[in-house]
Amino acid sequence: MSVAIRVIPCLDVDNGRVVKGVNFENLRDAGDPVELAQRYGAEGADELTFLDVTASKHGRGTMLDVVRRTAEQIFIPLTVGGGVRSVEDVNELLRAGADKVSVNTAAISRPELLRELSQQFGAQCIVLSVDARRVPEGGEPQPSGFEVTTHGGTRSAGIDAVEWARRGEELGVGEILLNSMDGDGTKDGFDIELIEKVRAAVTVPIIASGGAGKAEHFPPAVAAGADAVLAATIFHFGEVTVGEVKDALDEAGYEVRR
């Protein structure tokens, strides 16, 4: 039995508002997260992802409130990430209404955290977010040609991105959120090579993110091995709807939930 491809809008939240930029810069306001979440729920989104893009301590408080208010309004799974460093952080987010929690920077500095979280909450709750880019000229070479970045794609972590995804699966994560930093906000299409390489290395579901510009960009990402497709800008500003993405996937022969 084939599994339906999930279409996931992503809300980048900063101080309680949704923001969006290109390559994580020049952020502009895209609205109220609770209102947008309700809209996406009504449009037929399969899940929602919330990323606290400035996850400082005061941001975390704001985020819990936003998560709580959103979870009360929608009936689809909610994944929350940004500043997650401990079992306690995950516990707080799940109690506030998140269904899954995405971990990024903290796992790079201490990979064992992924195993702890997976054992405590179950693999299905833990998502490893990998911010990957092609190794820039003069950068430290990596076997796959892709490296992991931190700080919104501005700093190299000095780790091979494909190897890191494989390690995440080994440590017990249930899903990989694969962000192409080269593609972020560019609307040039998903990074197909990156998706293919990670797909060859892991068996857990891959959520492809970064680069969607039109409905036709989504089927190639699935053909490359993505189990779910995520976008932000084009959904927030009404350039493409969740329904149009599902139509494009359907026409390409992929099963979607209606």
Side-chain angles (χ1 to χ4, degrees):
M1 192 195 96
S2 64
V3 178
I5 301 299
R6 292 168 289 146
V7 178
I8 308 174
C10 180
L11 308 180
D12 295 311
V13 180
D14 179 12
N15 288 327
R17 297 290 291 176
V18 175
V19 293
K20 200 57 209 155
V22 176
N23 302 122
F24 286 79
E25 286 171 5
N26 306 323
L27 299 178
R28 55 182 175 152
D29 189 280
D32 175 67
V34 183
E35 281 171 24
L36 277 171
Q38 280 176 300
R39 189 182 99 196
Y40 292 135
E43 269 188 28
D46 297 301
E47 291 184 16
L48 266 186
T49 293
F50 258 46
L51 297 176
D52 185 349
V53 292
T54 50
S56 56
K57 262 306 165 202
H58 91 113
R60 166 63 66 229
T62 312
M63 200 60 179
L64 285 172
D65 174 55
V66 173
V67 169
R68 206 170 282 120
R69 287 189 297 127
T70 305
E72 284 164 8
Q73 298 295 332
I74 61 167
F75 306 98
I76 53 177
L78 178 62
T79 300
V80 182
V84 175
R85 296 181 191 88
S86 64
V87 164
E88 187 42 47
D89 288 343
V90 175
N91 206 17
E92 275 191 345
L93 287 167
L94 294 175
R95 280 214 309 267
D99 298 281
K100 296 189 256 187
V101 174
S102 154
V103 189
N104 189 335
T105 313
I108 293 170
S109 42
R110 196 170 74 79
E112 215 35 55
L113 174 65
L114 296 173
R115 196 192 304 279
E116 289 163 20
L117 297 178
S118 176
Q119 286 173 347
Q120 179 87 13
F121 303 104
Q124 78 289 345
C125 277
I126 308 303
V127 179
L128 174 61
S129 180
V130 178
D131 292 343
R133 70 175 176 195
R134 283 180 167 71
V135 177
E137 228 172 281
E140 188 186 325
Q142 298 297 344
S144 71
F146 290 93
E147 65 179 3
V148 175
T149 65
T150 60
H151 301 80
T154 57
R155 289 189 208 171
S156 170
I159 311 172
D160 186 274
V162 175
E163 174 52 32
W164 177 230
R166 194 195 59 72
R167 180 104 172 88
E169 177 175 44
E170 209 174 71
L171 288 164
V173 304
E175 206 161 40
I176 306 284
L177 172 53
L178 186 59
N179 306 306
S180 162
M181 295 331 243
D182 302 316
D184 178 70
T186 61
K187 302 185 193 172
D188 293 334
F190 291 92
D191 192 322
I192 300 305
E193 188 193 351
L194 175 62
I195 299 167
E196 285 173 344
K197 285 189 168 178
V198 174
R199 175 76 290 157
V202 304
T203 60
V204 293
I206 295 171
I207 303 164
S209 161
K214 46 190 186 211
E216 302 85 87
H217 284 155
F218 290 83
V222 176
D227 302 270
V229 282
L230 178 145
T233 314
I234 58 170
F235 289 149
H236 302 338
F237 297 107
E239 295 160 40
V240 178
T241 65
V242 169
E244 285 166 347
V245 171
K246 289 195 172 187
D247 289 344
L249 290 167
D250 196 14
E251 278 164 32
Y254 298 110
E255 193 185 321
V256 289
R257 291 190 194 97
R258 294 291 186 178

